[in-house]
Amino acid sequence: MASKHSLTYYLILLHIIIIPLVPAKVYVGPIPVSAQVVLIPLLTLAVIVEYMRKRVEFNTLPIKMFMTLFGLFFLVQIISLSQAVSIIPGIKEMVRYLSYVFLFFIVTKVKFSKQEYHAFAFTFVGTIAAAGLWGITSYAFDINLNKAGVYALEEAYGRVHATMTNPNYWAGFVNFIIPMLLLFAVVRFKERKWQLLMFAVFGIYVINQIFTYTRSAWLIMALAIILTSLLIPKQFYKKMFTIHLIVATLLLGIIVYNLPDVQERTRSAMFVVQSFLPEDTQNGGKDGELSEDEEKNKSFTNKAVVSRTTLWKTGWVMYKENPVLGLGIGNYGERYKEYVTKYPELYVGHDEYSVHNSYLKVGAETGTIGLLSFLAIYVYYYFFLGKQFFLHRRDLTKKLLLIGLFVGSGTYAGQNLANNLIFIPQLNVLFWLISGLIFNYVHTLSDDA
């Protein structure tokens, strides 16, 4: 590689800095313009020009299957447009999808030097540290907090969304990166100062997750932390049980326990879990009455659960009535009012509303063929990730990155059962950007480099 950095390298650095920090979107006519709308085409053009001029080169990592599966789902989307009542939303959805594919191909295949990979990593940690600190600051000073759902909170005066537009989106991103932060804090670094610094970043994101007041995300975060430690138990617990990390963990635990509404919201999260269990298992066989506050908490929780499950039922009805080709990519919102009018029991007070489940959205819009081809992308993603792990598990850094990515992407997949995170451009760009760079690093650099 030439001694000077390529334009491709600088544009990827800009992605790492700007995408997590800039959620703003403006419209030029019907066209939404955001950071990714500008940066991804620039990056694609730069790679084409620099590859032709031999300023960049591709690595040997085989991703043909990824590209095949991406292409298959894109073909299904095109076919589903034949069922759409509105073409424009479908075309927008497809253009966004193609941008993710181009980005993933570029960050996975373009070779970089060891110093450039390190620059990506340090820039990313610095960027997310800034975003996390802003999240805490915005809560402390009540800056632009989301007030939706505040009626169910006693002490908190809003929900943090930091540098994203919705607390649920921010919660999804937090859970995606928390496993990697934890592993590097505890296992990767040897010097106490670096361990504590990275643990502080981890702690900032745990606190941010609390401030989103997203119950499902809290549960997923707890499970993710437990699973992360269990996937590398010997190295994790050996280093975890040192005085400075024990003190840091206890301090974080005390802070979290005393944050506003943590105890009430935790009980509410438990009520959510119980609501999906058979009735005879919900009280553990005990005949106890709830206090007045607990009854109030449970009442608010039940309303939220009913609303969410009603939205899922709407998506399910759309899928059942359009099982083969769906009702057209990008057309769930276009048909929502029609369906809640046709089935009044599905109405939750809005003429247009998200299904809050990415998989139901795909099924409703592209049918069974679309849903299967969509899921195939993520099934292969985990197969590919597992293959890279077994090839490079002797290198500690690569091992930790892949374990963290496995758990983090699992939280992402799980939260898409209750939200449409895959269809949030800022969040999905970060998912494919981080995944691609990790796959690239793991393959390109020699082990223990």
Side-chain angles (χ1 to χ4, degrees), residues 202-247:
F202 165 75
I204 287 170
Y205 271 79
V206 171
I207 294 170
N208 267 268
Q209 187 64 276
I210 299 301
F211 284 154
T212 68
Y213 291 101
T214 303
R215 289 163 299 202
S216 60
W218 286 15
L219 292 171
I220 290 173
M221 178 177 69
L223 292 173
I225 290 172
I226 294 169
L227 179 59
T228 299
S229 69
L230 293 178
L231 287 176
I232 187 169
K234 185 177 180 180
Q235 291 166 291
F236 185 90
Y237 289 109
K238 180 181 179 181
K239 289 198 170 184
M240 189 68 199
F241 289 117
T242 52
I243 296 298
H244 61 288
L245 284 180
I246 290 174
V247 172

Side-chain angles (χ1 to χ4, degrees), residues 135-157:
I136 293 176
T137 302
S138 68
Y139 183 85
F141 295 98
D142 194 6
I143 302 172
N144 196 30
L145 296 180
N146 185 294
K147 303 297 182 177
V150 174
Y151 65 88
L153 302 174
E154 296 290 337
E155 301 171 350
Y157 39 84

Side-chain angles (χ1 to χ4, degrees), residues 311-417:
L311 294 172
W312 295 343
K313 288 175 184 176
T314 307
W316 176 247
V317 169
M318 288 186 184
Y319 169 69
K320 284 200 303 180
E321 294 191 0
N322 305 271
V324 181
L325 297 178
L327 43 77
I329 187 69
N331 272 244
Y332 179 90
E334 303 298 316
R335 301 286 297 275
Y336 180 80
K337 185 175 180 180
E338 172 192 332
Y339 272 83
V340 298
T341 301
K342 183 179 178 181
Y343 302 101
E345 68 275 14
L346 299 177
Y347 186 66
V348 292
H350 301 272
D351 289 338
E352 185 174 346
Y353 213 76
S354 161
V355 66
H356 280 273
N357 183 305
S358 291
Y359 312 107
L360 280 173
K361 174 176 163 61
V362 172
E365 292 185 345
T366 61
T368 303
I369 298 172
L371 180 59
L372 291 176
S373 60
F374 177 79
L375 291 175
I377 295 170
Y378 293 92
V379 170
Y380 183 71
Y381 175 95
Y382 286 106
F383 171 81
F384 186 86
L385 196 160
K387 182 178 179 181
Q388 297 307 307
F389 176 80
F390 284 107
L391 287 173
H392 302 285
R393 64 187 182 277
R394 291 181 180 83
D395 183 296
L396 179 62
T397 300
K398 295 178 180 181
K399 181 179 181 179
L400 297 179
L401 283 171
L402 291 168
I403 290 175
L405 186 60
F406 171 75
V407 180
S409 60
T411 70
Y412 188 68
Q415 285 184 242
N416 272 283
L417 290 167

Side-chain angles (χ1 to χ4, degrees), residues 17-52:
I17 296 168
I18 294 176
I19 299 297
L21 295 179
V22 182
K25 179 170 66 176
V26 296
Y27 282 85
V28 179
I31 302 173
V33 179
S34 58
Q36 56 268 16
V37 169
V38 175
L39 287 175
I40 294 177
L42 284 177
L43 176 62
T44 304
L45 181 61
V47 168
I48 292 171
V49 171
E50 292 193 310
Y51 182 76
M52 293 175 65

Side-chain angles (χ1 to χ4, degrees), residues 31-134:
I31 302 173
V33 179
S34 58
Q36 56 268 16
V37 169
V38 175
L39 287 175
I40 294 177
L42 284 177
L43 176 62
T44 304
L45 181 61
V47 168
I48 292 171
V49 171
E50 292 193 310
Y51 182 76
M52 293 175 65
R53 294 181 177 180
K54 301 187 185 301
R55 288 278 291 133
V56 299
E57 58 181 290
F58 293 153
N59 60 40
T60 58
L61 183 63
I63 60 169
K64 287 183 179 178
M65 182 57 73
F66 266 122
M67 294 300 110
T68 300
L69 294 173
F70 283 138
L72 177 61
F73 183 56
F74 185 70
L75 177 62
V76 173
Q77 291 179 69
I78 294 174
I79 295 171
S80 77
L81 280 178
S82 64
Q83 310 299 307
V85 296
S86 182
I87 300 296
I88 297 300
I91 291 176
K92 288 180 180 178
E93 196 80 70
M94 292 165 64
V95 170
R96 284 193 291 268
Y97 172 79
L98 282 180
S99 73
Y100 308 145
V101 175
F102 288 140
L103 175 67
F104 178 71
F105 177 84
I106 291 166
V107 299
T108 306
K109 289 294 292 180
V110 175
K111 290 179 69 174
F112 299 102
S113 67
K114 179 180 178 181
Q115 291 71 27
E116 288 173 330
Y117 288 118
H118 288 174
F120 291 151
F122 290 130
T123 302
F124 179 69
V125 173
T127 300
I128 63 171
L133 287 171
W134 169 246

